[in-house]
Amino acid sequence: MSTLQKAIATLTILFFGLTSVIFAFSPPKGRSYWPFVSYPMYSVNKKDVTYFKEFTYYGVFRDQAGVYEKELTDPKYLAPFDRDSFRKAIRLMRDKHQTKRLRLGMKKLFQKNIGPDLIAFKIYLDKWRLNLESNFDHALPEERKLILQESMN
Amino acid sequence: MKKYWGDFWFKPTKTLDLAISRFLFFGLLFFIGQAKIDAGWINLPTEFWHPIFIYRYFGWGPPTVQVFEILELAWRCFILFSCFGFLTPLSVLISSVLSLYLLGLRYCYGYYHPEDCLLILASFIFVMAPCSQMFSLDYLMTRRFKPNLVPPTETPRWPQRLIWLIWSLMFFAAAIAKLKKSGLSWVFSDNLRNQIIFNQYLFYFRKTSWTFGSALAQFPLLCQISAAFVILLELSLPVVIFSRRYRYVAILGCLIFQTLNWFVMLVRFDASFVFYIFFIPWSQCLDFIKNKFLKNNTQLSVIKNIK
């Protein structure tokens, strides 16, 4: 291995190694420097049940030929409807024109992913309440509110 | 210090190991990336577009459907070129830049899953790595013009070690984040138990007839022991770069941990499973298979001769 090759390899090691360490351990506040990120997953302590015993969640459903209200669970449909981003987007859309664009965009998105037999899609705001004393054995939220409905016709 | 640095990063390892890792990594990235890159979101109104730093810095906006389709096609081609080792350095560079842009698009629509970042970093490490000297179309084409070409059997081990480093850092940093935010009560409290139950609601659609999560949540002490195992494992993972013995134990532990994560927490870390290929000594495995196969062949020929 020549000296030049060693120098290039050392620079690569230092760049990727050090940058990964810096961003992993002291990430700049509230910012993501893709592809260098911090890894805070599941670090918040949930020992205090009141912190999260009630939570809301956007459920995206589809009506398809012969299938009524099937929930979409694949991240490829759902990521833009993640609680925070969806709330932010809804907040930004104040007038009818903007809402119309949302409907049109979603129509395209779902038609592309689901296909021509899609009849309608709906977005519900679901409210869940945790039951810590017993096994989780049901799949229905406590409250369900229809936020958006769009027919393909 | 200089000698230690040199030995640690530049000691030779088998060229074939890196070449097979390149083939498998880009092959798997092709399939994993296909599922992750999705043109559908770019149809959404711009109110859904919340660009992350790199997009803001370079002024990248959401692509039009036509541009996206061209980029996606180019990404597929160059990932396959990288996998089969065709024009390798250039293909790896272009596919890495395209992966950076296309895989990052999801993050501008609110998605967050840090494991994808490792794929991008590993991909860029391959740009600088001598990974096409064997097991590649480049090698086959060069041999056509130079029939006496003998590929180097050994190559410096820094690309493999650097990938081990960033992979183990992900877990180590995750453990530090847990301890920094929650302290030891992350382990010695009902935290993990509550988190398991919470996930049964959040990801209820991923539940199968197996109810590992709900079953484990019935035993608070077992949940605390599991939490301690997770923290200890994550904290100790960087040791795999230095200790060969610990490497195999830790990798097995990590594999169990990630599989249980899937069944208990209902959380999948698909991309980080790809990184196990960098821990497998491929040349040794091939030697083992070859020896066994050749041995059987020899035995067969001996039997035939006797007959």
Side-chain angles (χ1 to χ4, degrees), chain B residues 106-122:
Chain B
R106 305 195 303 163
Y107 290 74
C108 299
Y109 286 99
Y111 182 85
Y112 187 80
H113 206 317
E115 62 163 5
D116 292 347
C117 304
L118 289 185
L119 293 174
I120 309 287
L121 293 179

Side-chain angles (χ1 to χ4, degrees), chain A residues 131-142:
Chain A
N131 181 358
L132 293 170
E133 302 312 317
S134 68
N135 270 351
F136 172 83
D137 54 1
H138 60 90
L140 280 175
E142 212 148 81

Side-chain angles (χ1 to χ4, degrees), chain A residues 8 25 32-35 38 42-43 45-46 52 71 73 75-76 79 98 101-102 105 109 131-132 135-136, chain B residues 40-41 43 47-48 53 100 112 117 128 172 180 182 185-186 191 193-194 198-199 201 204-205 218 267:
Chain A
I8 293 172
F25 297 113
S32 168
Y33 286 83
W34 167 264
S38 56
Y42 297 103
S43 59
N45 198 335
K46 293 200 168 169
F52 68 109
E71 185 165 9
T73 55
K76 78 177 172 191
Q98 283 170 320
R101 279 195 298 124
L102 168 68
L109 166 71
N131 181 358
L132 293 170
N135 270 351
F136 172 83
Chain B
W41 301 352
N43 291 309
E47 282 81 359
F48 278 87
F53 172 73
L100 178 76
Y112 187 80
C117 304
M128 309 305 288
F172 187 73
K180 243 163 103 177
S182 309
S185 66
W186 195 90
N191 166 52
R193 178 178 178 263
N194 292 347
F198 181 68
N199 277 20
Y201 284 81
Y204 70 90
F205 44 82
Q218 301 307 304
V267 175

Side-chain angles (χ1 to χ4, degrees), chain B residues 131-156:
Chain B
C131 58
S132 60
Q133 292 160 323
M134 271 179 142
F135 211 67
S136 66
L137 290 173
D138 283 349
Y139 168 65
L140 289 178
M141 285 184 334
T142 319
R143 211 175 60 170
R144 217 175 153 178
F145 298 108
K146 295 178 190 169
N148 296 328
L149 180 79
V150 180
T153 52
E154 290 186 326
T155 191

